[in-house]
Amino acid sequence: MALAMPLLASSGFVALQAAPRSAVRPAISMKIEGMVGESAPLGFFDPLGFSKDASPETMKKYREAELKHGRVAMLACFGMIVADDKSLFPRVFAKFSSNPLQAIVDTPKLGWLQILTFIMFIEVLGIINSRRPDYEPGNFLGSSQWETDDGWKSYQTKELNNGRLAMFGAIGMMVGSYITGKGPIDVISGGGSVVF
């Protein structure tokens, strides 16, 4: 659906023609300066110096890990907010606690088996996909072939920054729930107790 939106928004429909592979995909470069994800005022942020002597292949692995962690953290934040009993979303699993740490304990073994099986399936699919010669970090389903203009770099930077924020957000929600024993919305709203 999202891929069809640019076609609908254009002034007219033009039949798509197959372009040579080199014309569709920009050259892959994983340099440190000017790397996608740089944001003002910090620019390229690497306080522990992981990228100091890293090869381009190692930088691709680092970027892949950062994107995976960011995407999982965004889903985790959304899941913790939706699962809270104070959320505006209808609760699917009403019998589970709003506290995400308690919900982990309350999840039945069959549920954990389903979760871990899905994670393994996605990881295997990612490994198979990453063996393509034109693979770029985070390009899980080949979606970057649809975006070759300057907006694609902006989109990637936004995704990285949202993922970075979500990693801190997920940790903050879990720490707040650990301290208070309440759900994240209850912790954010005060819930009758002071967290810090």
Side-chain angles (χ1 to χ4, degrees):
M1 183 70 182
L3 296 175
M5 292 308 286
L7 291 175
L8 295 174
S10 66
S11 60
F13 179 77
V14 178
L16 299 175
Q17 298 175 354
R21 197 67 164 161
S22 60
V24 174
R25 304 199 49 80
I28 300 171
S29 65
M30 292 296 290
K31 58 185 181 187
I32 304 302
E33 296 302 320
M35 188 173 177
V36 173
E38 283 187 358
S39 298
L42 300 175
F44 184 76
F45 184 69
D46 185 17
L48 300 178
F50 286 119
S51 64
K52 184 178 179 184
D53 296 321
S55 67
E57 291 79 24
T58 304
M59 287 303 295
K60 286 182 182 180
K61 289 178 186 175
Y62 290 162
R63 178 49 52 90
E64 183 80 26
E66 181 181 18
L67 282 165
K68 278 185 182 181
H69 285 93
R71 289 170 180 172
V72 168
M74 286 187 273
L75 288 171
C77 287
F78 180 73
M80 285 188 273
I81 290 170
V82 168
D84 197 304
D85 59 0
K86 304 253 187 309
S87 173
L88 299 176
F89 294 95
R91 291 193 73 196
V92 177
F93 303 107
K95 68 178 184 173
F96 290 108
S97 172
S98 290
N99 181 343
L101 300 174
Q102 184 61 42
I104 290 172
V105 175
D106 293 344
T107 303
K109 291 178 184 173
L110 184 59
W112 276 111
L113 180 64
Q114 291 172 347
I115 292 167
L116 293 175
T117 302
F118 180 73
I119 291 170
M120 287 186 281
F121 170 74
I122 294 295
E123 285 295 322
V124 168
L125 187 64
I127 290 169
I128 292 170
N129 192 32
S130 68
R131 292 185 177 160
R132 291 191 341 251
D134 62 341
Y135 181 75
E136 295 178 33
N139 186 5
F140 188 71
L141 297 175
S143 60
S144 70
Q145 66 183 329
W146 300 102
E147 299 284 348
T148 57
D149 61 353
D150 293 334
W152 182 240
K153 183 175 180 180
S154 172
Y155 173 81
Q156 289 176 308
T157 301
K158 289 173 187 174
E159 181 186 18
L160 283 166
N161 287 335
N162 285 321
R164 293 165 181 163
L165 180 63
M167 286 186 254
F168 284 106
I171 291 169
M173 284 191 263
M174 287 190 287
V175 167
S177 295
Y178 175 76
I179 292 171
T180 64
K182 299 177 181 177
I185 294 178
D186 209 10
V187 171
I188 291 169
S189 65
S193 63
V194 177
V195 179
F196 298 104

